[in-house]
Amino acid sequence: MKSQHIAAVAAIALGCPSLSLADPLTLDVMLGLERYGRIAIDPSGSVGVFEEKFALSDMPRHDVEAYGADRYAHLYRVEMTAPYRVSPLLAEETGAGYTAGAFSPDGTRLAVFRLKDDLWRLGIVEMATGAVSWTEVAPELGLWGRALEWVSDDVLLVLGTTDGAMPSRLAGPRADQARLLALRAAATMGAPAAVSTGTDRPPPAPDGRRLWRVEAASGHAAAVADGPILDFESSPDGRHVALLLEGPLLPPASQDTASEVRRALSLQIAPVAGGSAVSPPGARAISPNLLSWSPDSSALLVAAVGSERGRLLAISPSGETRDVTPSGVAAALPVDFMGMQSAQAGWVGGAIVMRGRAGATQAWYRINNGDAVAIQGLQPDARLVAQGGSAVLFNDNGEIIRLRETDGPTRLGAASLAASAYGPFGNRGQASPMKADAAFVTDDHGRLCRVPAEVGTAQCVVAARGAAVSWSRGLSLQRGADDETGRLMLVQGAHRTPVWRLNPELDGVTVSEPRLIKGPGDVRGWLYLPAGHPGPPPVIVVPYQGETYAAPPYWMRRDATDLSLAPQLLVAQGYAVLFPDLPPTPEPADGLAHRILAVVDVAADQGLVDPDRVGLWGWSFGAWSSAMSAAQSPRFSAVVGLNGPMNFPSVIGELGTAARLKGGNDLSAASVARWLESGQAAMRSAYWSAPDRYRRNSPFEQADRITAPVLLVIGEYDGMGAQSEQLYGALHRLNRPVALTLLFGEVHGIQNPGNIRLYYDQVVTWFDRYLKDGGPPAAPSSGEPRPR
């Protein structure tokens, strides 16, 4: 751990000037970089807490995939009064990682999580003393909505596993390895060893979970409800909790309609203090985005999505259900980025507001006594972001707007963002207020302001977007700007005080600065040049279809820690690196190589790169972008692709090792179909309806046009590993230079330091061989983990 209290860093910097101000960025340095995770200030504004994420080289183990790796952090507290002392939040165990959850409403307690070996547990920290009550509850990760919610200063609700085992998304490859070893052992003994799935058997039941009621002072946990609970929302008075339950996957609307991943989600309401849950009639298929309690806790709004006409239901804590959908208006149900039907509605005093549809027209409506009136001055796609007793706030095209019970919309300023003391939240937080009673704007002076839903005085402080703010003290805690790499800053007015520092070794490291390349039309990209190159260098293009970069890409920052793609390492090896803008097109492969080469040629015309030595390097859909471009032009001299889809007609059958071992692959199959038809691949219909569209967007189908040498790398547990194997087989059959490396234990990215070192050795060697004069010769085929 190389983080330092800022006072010590300052003393070192003053007393010992760096001996070298021009060291290149190296893989050793990147493997040792820490990063900040969650930063929050308690609701009273007295204490800040921040996470210092482990460097990859400091991880105690590497078999918990990315979800688990993100749970290894140290926790610190910052006193929000001078001299702003930083100290460990709690006594930490060796080999354990800690992450921060939500503060209690009064800020006296903080929920935390600990990961050590095979144990994942909830703890509650007393902020005054640092004492921790560790429970036996293994919480869910809250990837959809909530994993935890305080219902009072002394009681919290936690969604967890029923047996204290780690959630499936956290157990990762270790669970898959155990399952594989057990199957192999059974086969060795002559016992049945098989995994079956299919429609001739009932679909597998969703994972069972338990909602716990935890007493904060003692850590005692009692069960509130059991079942396939996906998400929950407690009533404002803390007496009842709405439970969103997972059901079976729903079939596509038709054979030719683009697929979406939709489950039959139902509702229960349970008393928090104990008792039987009720299942309200009519709430058998509801939107996962809408669980909105009225301010007086008398009713819960949900949207029924089981029919073509979305219906809005108001449900009492006892389960009594009223259809409050106004005549002539249906609840609007646009599909969100997760492929789910996303309803929005809320309460304005005793009235309801909803995003609705009347015929082909969408609008926000105010509903009172069954009558609906369209709200003028509010766009149909505005998002409800906060709710008070008699007013709500919307984000309308980047502006915060207040709507009261009887008044029209009032514009309050440009929307901004601040860290929540009550988070973190999952995907539902992108479409639901999650009990927020205020929103944030940037004022005319550039300050961050908290605007309550109820009419009142806005509180403003000098703070960056996304900062944690102590509104009572008028100061903020935030990451440093680009020229303050690794610093945690406490900002009050014009004063900026550094209180913590990560990665001081970066002070002696220089990286290439971005250069914006622009040409006629949409020709645009960010270029990074190596230092001291005698002439125009070879260029590595990092394409990603559908992506544009308003600002320089994150991947090129010197403090970037995701090593699945670290192009600055290629710059340090004498290559230029180019990120071209590739906005969406009617079909993803439309003119892809031409659009990439147009940016290359603009840079070449300026004498910045060698247009005859062009490589392609991509990850995920970027790997597809690279292979597809190589099939469209012979100008590319080498290609490297990590974990990419290569043959769209066969993507529908890709399950991956983990799903194959688990069985019950209905969700995996549906998710792949959704990605292919309605998601990123944008095929827009089933394969059988448009086979030619699938084929012309597949590198495999045009493998005979790929002349560049191709290195393909896949993770053992990636969901599309066989895609690269298919392209490898095609290129091998065509007698083209091609290599394939399988990285064991990896999922979609790369986490293992040993695999990372091997990967970058292969990447650099591959490009050196084909893009540099005098590069290493081609090696014969062997079982060694090196490209041929």
Side-chain angles (χ1 to χ4, degrees):
M1 183 175 67
K2 301 171 295 305
S3 58
Q4 300 178 16
H5 192 282
I6 201 66
V9 174
I12 293 171
L14 291 173
C16 304
S18 176
L19 298 178
S20 172
L21 298 178
D23 294 334
L25 190 63
T26 66
L27 190 54
D28 284 336
V29 168
M30 297 191 77
L31 285 169
L33 295 180
E34 291 115 349
R35 59 189 171 91
Y36 291 109
R38 178 165 158 74
I39 302 171
I41 295 177
D42 82 274
S44 74
S46 303
V47 180
V49 170
F50 67 90
E51 299 172 350
E52 179 186 283
K53 302 287 187 181
F54 286 20
L56 279 175
S57 59
D58 294 334
M59 293 284 180
R61 59 192 302 169
H62 298 275
D63 58 351
V64 289
E65 65 173 284
Y67 291 106
D70 203 45
R71 268 66 185 177
Y72 284 112
H74 302 288
L75 296 180
Y76 294 92
R77 62 182 288 153
V78 184
E79 309 302 332
M80 303 305 290
T81 53
Y84 311 124
R85 185 171 62 90
V86 178
S87 60
L89 177 66
L90 48 81
E92 297 183 355
E93 297 181 21
T94 302
Y98 299 81
T99 46
F103 279 100
S104 61
D106 63 1
T108 60
R109 295 184 172 105
L110 174 69
V112 296
F113 311 103
R114 180 183 64 196
L115 176 61
K116 184 175 182 181
D117 299 324
D118 292 319
L119 289 178
W120 167 247
R121 292 293 182 262
L122 166 73
I124 301 164
V125 180
E126 298 288 341
M127 296 302 295
T129 64
V132 190
S133 297
W134 290 106
T135 74
E136 291 302 311
V137 174
E140 280 290 341
L141 303 184
L143 299 178
W144 175 256
R146 292 190 188 273
L148 179 150
E149 184 182 16
W150 291 86
V151 295
S152 71
D153 294 328
D154 305 308
V155 175
L156 64 160
L157 296 176
V158 183
L159 183 60
T161 60
T162 57
D163 56 1
M166 287 200 300
S168 58
R169 294 300 291 270
L170 187 57
R174 74 175 72 177
D176 300 325
Q177 288 289 350
R179 190 175 295 115
L180 178 61
L181 290 174
L183 288 167
R184 285 178 172 167
T188 300
M189 300 302 295
V195 177
S196 298
T197 189
T199 54
D200 62 339
R201 59 184 62 230
D207 291 340
R209 302 180 183 92
R210 176 169 293 167
L211 187 69
W212 299 92
R213 181 181 186 272
V214 180
E215 301 290 340
S218 64
H220 177 262
V224 175
D226 284 346
I229 305 170
L230 176 66
D231 195 4
F232 69 92
E233 189 75 21
S234 70
S235 59
D237 62 10
R239 297 176 59 191
H240 293 87
V241 58
L243 308 173
L244 185 67
L245 305 181
E246 291 188 87
L249 283 169
L250 299 174
S254 74
Q255 177 177 303
D256 298 328
T257 302
S259 178
E260 297 289 355
V261 179
R262 296 177 183 171
R263 281 194 180 276
L265 302 176
S266 59
L267 180 75
Q268 287 185 347
I269 297 179
V272 170
S276 299
V278 297
S279 298
R284 300 297 184 186
I286 63 174
S287 167
N289 303 88
L290 181 60
L291 295 172
S292 179
W293 285 97
S294 62
D296 63 0
S297 300
S298 64
L300 173 77
L301 280 181
V302 300
V305 299
S307 62
E308 185 175 332
R309 180 178 180 268
R311 294 178 298 116
L312 198 63
L313 307 178
I315 302 173
S316 73
S318 62
E320 296 174 3
T321 302
R322 294 181 295 123
D323 188 332
V324 293
T325 316
S327 176
V329 178
L333 301 172
V335 175
D336 67 8
F337 72 102
M338 294 292 291
M340 308 295 284
Q341 292 175 293
S342 174
Q344 285 202 47
W347 301 85
V348 185
I352 295 171
V353 292
M354 66 174 282
R355 185 164 62 179
R357 175 174 50 83
T361 303
Q362 288 198 32
W364 275 92
Y365 293 87
R366 193 195 310 260
I367 305 170
N368 206 344
N369 296 323
D371 296 325
V373 178
I375 300 170
Q376 302 301 315
L378 194 62
Q379 296 297 315
D381 59 352
R383 184 166 69 88
L384 187 64
V385 294
Q387 180 175 296
S390 60
V392 291
L393 299 178
F394 294 90
N395 184 329
D396 186 359
N397 196 28
E399 277 194 284
I400 298 299
I401 293 179
R402 178 186 284 127
L403 181 73
R404 302 181 68 189
E405 285 188 82
T406 56
D407 299 341
T410 302
R411 299 186 178 274
L412 304 178
S416 192
L417 184 68
S420 171
Y422 306 115
F425 306 118
N427 292 324
R428 183 161 62 95
Q430 299 186 38
S432 168
M434 304 284 281
K435 287 196 175 71
D437 60 0
F440 305 95
V441 301
T442 301
D443 71 2
D444 294 339
H445 304 287
R447 298 177 302 173
L448 184 66
C449 302
R450 179 183 183 276
V451 181
E454 299 294 341
V455 176
T457 303
Q459 297 171 284
C460 299
V461 300
V462 176
R465 176 182 174 88
V469 178
S470 173
W471 303 101
S472 60
R473 287 174 166 77
L475 48 79
S476 63
L477 194 61
Q478 61 195 49
R479 297 172 179 86
D482 289 345
D483 58 348
E484 300 168 326
T485 300
R487 289 172 173 83
L488 186 66
M489 311 296 292
L490 197 147
V491 180
Q492 188 169 32
H495 300 287
R496 298 175 62 85
T497 305
V499 295
W500 198 250
R501 177 73 195 278
L502 300 182
N503 310 317
E505 67 272 28
L506 289 178
D507 285 346
V509 171
T510 58
V511 294
S512 176
E513 294 296 322
R515 183 190 295 253
L516 183 60
I517 302 297
K518 296 184 71 173
D522 292 331
V523 175
R524 186 179 180 278
W526 293 96
L527 179 67
Y528 297 78
L529 296 173
H533 201 275
V539 57
I540 307 297
V541 181
V542 184
Y544 201 97
Q545 165 61 17
E547 185 68 76
T548 58
Y549 302 93
Y554 156 80
W555 310 100
M556 301 302 285
R557 290 175 57 98
R558 62 177 177 169
D559 59 346
T561 56
D562 192 332
L563 291 176
S564 301
L565 193 68
Q568 280 286 8
L569 295 174
L570 272 294
V571 178
Q573 297 295 319
Y575 292 97
V577 169
L578 176 65
F579 286 80
D581 275 6
L582 296 172
T585 47
E587 292 189 15
D590 285 347
L592 187 56
H594 173 77
R595 291 185 286 146
I596 291 170
L597 290 170
V599 188
V600 171
D601 289 340
V602 170
D605 289 344
Q606 298 176 22
L608 300 175
V609 302
D610 185 341
D612 297 323
R613 294 186 292 167
V614 184
L616 293 163
W617 181 23
W619 171 33
S620 189
F621 207 52
W624 171 89
S625 304
S626 298
M628 193 72 245
S629 299
Q632 293 180 346
S633 174
R635 279 187 57 184
F636 302 107
S637 302
V639 178
V640 176
L642 170 66
N643 286 331
M646 300 297 173
N647 188 13
F648 283 177
S650 66
V651 162
I652 196 78
E654 291 285 355
L655 296 177
T657 301
R660 199 174 293 123
L661 285 169
K662 185 177 181 181
N665 297 318
D666 57 339
L667 178 58
S668 296
S671 298
V672 170
R674 191 259 168 183
W675 176 88
L676 187 65
E677 298 170 13
S678 306
Q680 190 175 42
M683 290 296 97
R684 306 303 181 209
S685 62
Y687 166 74
W688 302 274
S689 300
D692 288 343
R693 181 182 177 93
Y694 279 71
R695 296 187 65 187
R696 62 178 172 259
N697 285 278
S698 296
F700 174 88
E701 293 283 350
Q702 291 141 79
D704 59 330
R705 301 179 185 176
I706 298 176
T707 57
V710 177
L711 169 62
L712 299 166
V713 183
I714 55 178
E716 178 188 11
Y717 293 104
D718 183 68
M720 293 190 184
Q723 289 282 299
S724 292
E725 292 173 338
Q726 291 177 45
L727 184 59
Y728 170 81
L731 293 173
H732 186 274
R733 165 63 184 83
L734 293 164
N735 198 29
R736 305 291 161 77
V738 61
L740 177 70
T741 296
L742 171 63
L743 299 177
F744 283 84
E746 303 293 355
V747 190
H748 194 55
I750 310 179
Q751 297 287 326
N752 181 327
N755 283 339
I756 289 171
R757 291 183 186 279
L758 170 65
Y759 173 57
Y760 280 96
D761 177 65
Q762 291 192 353
V763 169
V764 172
T765 300
W766 195 260
F767 284 132
D768 283 354
R769 180 175 300 147
Y770 297 108
L771 295 181
K772 287 186 176 180
D773 295 332
S781 176
S782 74
E784 303 221 354
R786 292 184 175 278
R788 262 67 77 185

